[in-house]
Amino acid sequence: MPDTKYVLAIDQGTTSTRAIVFDHSGQIVESGQIEHEQIFPRAGWVEHNAEEIWKNTREVVGLALTRANLTYKDLAAVGITNQRETAVVWDRTTGKPVYNAIVWQDTRTQKIADELGALGGGADRYKAKVGLPLATYFSGPKIKWILDNVDGARAKAEAGDLAFGNTDSWVLWNMTGGVDGGVHVTDPTNASRTMLMNLDTLTWNEDIANDMGIPLSMLPEIKSSSEVYGHGREGGMVPGVPIAGILGDQQAATFGQACFEVGHAKNTYGTGNFMLINTGTEPIPSKNGLLTTVCYKIGDQPTVYALEGSIAVTGSLVQWLRDNLGLISSAPEIEQLAKTVDDNGGAYFVPAFSGLFAPYWRSDARGALVGLTRFVNKGHIARAALEATAFQTREVLDAMNADSGVDLTELKVDGGMVQDELLMQFQADILGVTVIRPKVAETTALGAAYAAGIAVGFWNGEQDVIDNWAEDKRWEPQMDDAERDRQFRLWKKAVTKTFDWVDDDVV
C-alpha cells in the first residue's frame, strides 16, 4: 500500500459528527467536527434531525480533507462509527426521514417495553436470544413507536417503502447513492443493539420483529464489521472510495484500544460511559445487569462477543451544567472549578436524567443531588458531577467482575473526559485499579478506521493495531481502602434516593 494513502473515519456521535484522517501508524493527520442540535420535544424525549446529521457529515469530511491538504484520491478506505440505538426511519423513494431520529437516551417507549414484557417473561422476555433486557434504550421499540405514531408510516413500511437504520446505515445509504442505489447495510455490533438480532446466528429474529410490528423489509442487511459494503457515490465527498468498516461507537473504541484478548476491557467517557470487556467467541449471559453484545466481527473470522455496562449520563451532565445552569461556560472549565475544593463537601450527584442504565435498569429513576448543606458551593457541585462518572463506572466494573469471574487489574480509558486528570485520578482511586490513557484518545474513530483499513489491506490485521497502540499516561490508586469503601457506600445510598420517582402523574 503506498505511503501516501490514508484512511478516513466518520464518527457520527450523539452531540456531533466528526471526520478524522489517520495515517498508517494510527496517528491523527487532521479532523473536522460540527455539533448538531439536541431536540427535546417533551420531558424524556430526545431527538436529532437526521438530515442535519447527513449535511454535517458531508461538511466535516470536506473540512478534514482540506485541512490535511488531501483529496479523496489519497484515501484507501472510509470507516463509519456511530451513536448506537438511535433510530432513523426514512422513505426509500424520497430519501427523507419520516420522523426525527429518536436518540438512545429517549424514554418514550417505556409503555411499549412494558406491554411486550406483559406478554410473558417481563423485562427478560427476549434476553436469551438478543442479550438485552426490554428497555427504552434499544432501537426496536423506537421503530414501533414511529410506525404507530407517524401518519401513513405503517402502510408505507408494509409496502416496503421505508428503511430503518441506526445512524451508521443512514450515513452509509446516503454516501453510496441514497435514492439512486444506496447500500442498506449494518454490522453486527449495531444490529445487536436493536433487540431484533439473534446473537448466535447474527440474523434478524422474525418472531420478535412480528411482536413489535416491524416488517423485515425495513431492516438493513447484516454484514461483518470489516468488508467493502460499497463505494462513495459519484459527485459525492469520496467518489469511488471503498466504504469498508462499520462499528458501533463503543465497539469501535474497544477495537481501537486493541482489546483483542479475553478479559481485556476499556471504558469510554463520552455523552454517556460505556465499559466493554472482551468475552471471546461465545456470548456470556449476564446475571448482574450487563448487556451481552457483539464486540466485533472481522470479515469471515469468528464473531467476538462482549459484556457491556452502559451509563446514560456522564459527559452530558457536564454539558447540562454548562447549558442549563450556566455553572460553567465551556466543558473543560469543570475540572478547574472542581479543583477549587478538596472534596465533594458531602454532596453526591446521581444524574438519572433518563433513568438508570447498568446495573439497575430503572426507568423510573430521576436525577438527584443529595447531601446538601449550607457549606456546599459550586465547586463541590462540580466535583460531585465529575465523581458521579467515576462512581457509576465502579458499579459497572463490580458487575463485570462478578459476571466474568475475572478481577480487572487495569482499565484502558478513552473519550473526551479522559483529558480531565482530576477525574482520572479519582477514577483510579474509587476503582482501586490502574487507569491507562492511550496516546491517541480518539479510539472510537480509530477503531472504525482500522476495520475499514483491514478490509482493503491497508493494515494487515489485529497485530498492526496492537503495534500502533501506545500509552500516554497512567494513574495509580492513592485512596486507602476505608475511605474508598466509605465514599462508595454513600454513593450507593444516594442512588436509592432516585428510585420510584416517575409515576402516572410524572413524565
Side-chain angles (χ1 to χ4, degrees):
M1 190 64 63
D3 290 338
T4 54
K5 290 280 189 174
Y6 302 87
V7 173
L8 176 75
I10 294 170
D11 181 355
Q12 200 302 289
T14 304
T15 58
S16 70
T17 304
R18 290 182 293 181
I20 303 180
V21 179
F22 291 95
D23 64 18
H24 195 267
S25 64
Q27 297 299 305
I28 293 173
V29 177
E30 265 297 352
S31 65
Q33 179 174 3
I34 301 175
E35 288 194 5
H36 54 263
E37 183 184 3
Q38 305 297 309
I39 303 166
F40 307 106
R42 288 177 54 183
W45 292 28
V46 189
E47 299 175 1
H48 293 156
N49 181 332
E51 290 185 287
E52 180 190 9
I53 285 173
W54 170 231
K55 173 179 174 289
N56 290 353
T57 300
R58 299 196 300 273
E59 290 187 16
V60 295
V61 169
L63 279 172
L65 290 176
T66 300
R67 288 169 178 170
N69 198 27
L70 300 172
T71 74
Y72 68 90
K73 294 179 181 178
D74 296 301
L75 300 177
V78 175
I80 298 171
T81 183
N82 61 293
Q83 51 170 324
R84 307 165 304 167
E85 304 98 12
T86 293
V88 186
V89 174
W90 68 94
D91 190 312
R92 297 179 190 273
T93 57
T94 66
K96 300 286 188 182
V98 301
Y99 189 80
N100 278 338
I102 301 181
V103 180
W104 55 272
Q105 301 152 310
D106 190 285
T107 60
R108 78 185 69 186
T109 56
Q110 186 59 54
K111 185 178 178 183
I112 293 172
D114 292 343
E115 289 172 349
L116 289 167
L119 296 175
D124 291 340
R125 176 177 173 83
Y126 305 122
K127 197 169 184 181
K129 295 177 181 176
V130 303
L132 312 173
L134 269 167
T136 60
Y137 185 17
F138 308 109
S139 308
K142 296 181 175 70
I143 305 171
K144 175 174 169 54
W145 188 93
I146 290 173
L147 297 184
D148 288 346
N149 289 277
V150 175
D151 286 346
R154 183 164 296 285
K156 281 189 173 184
E158 291 172 354
D161 293 336
L162 297 189
F164 153 77
N166 291 337
T167 59
D168 63 307
S169 299
W170 168 245
V171 168
L172 175 68
W173 187 78
N174 281 292
M175 287 187 74
T176 52
V179 295
D180 297 319
V183 174
H184 190 208
V185 162
T186 192
D187 89 304
T189 67
N190 275 287
S192 70
R193 315 299 293 202
T194 60
M195 293 202 81
L196 300 170
M197 189 192 80
N198 296 307
L199 269 181
D200 52 350
T201 62
L202 308 188
T203 57
W204 298 119
N205 186 300
E206 188 170 0
D207 290 340
I208 299 175
N210 285 340
D211 284 352
M212 296 190 192
I214 299 170
L216 289 180
S217 62
M218 292 182 70
L219 305 180
E221 182 181 359
I222 303 171
K223 294 196 172 185
S224 81
S225 308
S226 177
E227 62 180 276
V228 177
Y229 314 113
H231 295 80
R233 62 184 173 87
E234 292 305 316
M237 309 164 286
V238 288
V241 178
I243 303 170
I246 297 175
L247 285 162
D249 51 11
Q250 304 314 318
Q251 288 93 337
T254 308
F255 200 81
Q257 286 271 42
C259 295
F260 300 135
E261 300 293 327
V262 174
H264 282 189
K266 70 88 204 176
N267 197 29
T268 295
Y269 297 72
T271 303
N273 264 38
F274 302 89
M275 189 186 298
L276 272 77
I277 184 170
N278 183 324
T279 59
T281 55
E282 295 293 330
I284 294 179
S286 173
K287 298 176 182 176
N288 294 280
L290 303 180
L291 309 177
T292 304
T293 194
V294 174
C295 194
Y296 56 86
K297 179 173 174 59
I298 302 304
D300 57 5
Q301 296 176 25
T303 306
V304 175
Y305 295 90
L307 284 169
E308 175 176 331
S310 308
I311 304 167
V313 177
T314 54
S316 56
L317 175 56
V318 176
Q319 190 179 42
W320 181 82
L321 292 174
R322 180 193 70 188
D323 297 343
N324 291 44
L325 297 192
L327 197 66
I328 52 176
S329 58
S330 66
E333 289 178 22
I334 192 78
E335 181 179 11
Q336 296 308 312
L337 184 55
K339 281 181 175 178
T340 63
V341 294
D342 294 330
D343 54 39
N344 62 21
Y348 289 80
F349 201 152
V350 186
F353 293 162
S354 53
L356 290 168
F357 286 8
Y360 297 102
W361 297 104
R362 294 289 297 255
S363 61
D364 62 356
R366 285 297 179 268
L369 180 56
V370 302
L372 295 180
T373 64
R374 286 288 299 273
F375 173 70
V376 172
N377 62 33
K378 60 183 180 180
H380 296 115
I381 292 173
R383 195 165 185 119
L386 291 179
E387 291 181 355
T389 292
F391 283 126
Q392 291 179 99
T393 298
R394 161 72 186 270
E395 293 192 286
V396 168
L397 183 66
D398 287 353
M400 208 162 266
N401 287 341
D403 272 340
S404 67
V406 178
D407 287 347
L408 295 183
T409 57
E410 64 179 36
L411 182 66
K412 290 181 176 178
V413 299
D414 54 67
M417 294 183 81
V418 301
Q419 302 307 316
D420 188 320
E421 303 208 348
L422 179 70
L423 171 60
M424 290 298 100
Q425 183 58 58
F426 188 77
Q427 186 68 89
D429 288 343
I430 210 68
L431 294 181
V433 302
T434 303
V435 169
I436 302 173
R437 181 176 70 194
K439 282 192 174 177
V440 179
E442 299 297 346
T443 53
T444 301
L446 182 58
Y450 280 139
I454 288 170
V456 299
F458 184 74
W459 287 293
N460 291 324
E462 293 175 5
Q463 191 57 51
D464 278 354
V465 181
I466 294 168
D467 292 344
N468 282 348
W469 190 91
E471 178 181 319
D472 176 45
K473 187 167 182 176
R474 64 173 53 210
W475 290 266
E476 302 290 348
Q478 297 175 355
M479 186 179 288
D480 65 56
D481 292 346
E483 178 62 11
R484 179 183 301 121
D485 292 345
R486 184 190 74 84
Q487 292 213 31
F488 191 55
R489 174 176 55 80
L490 287 169
W491 164 262
K492 298 281 278 188
K493 186 177 181 181
V495 170
T496 65
K497 307 302 181 187
T498 72
F499 294 163
D500 299 314
W501 184 257
V502 176
D503 59 27
D504 291 339
D505 299 317
V506 181
V507 177

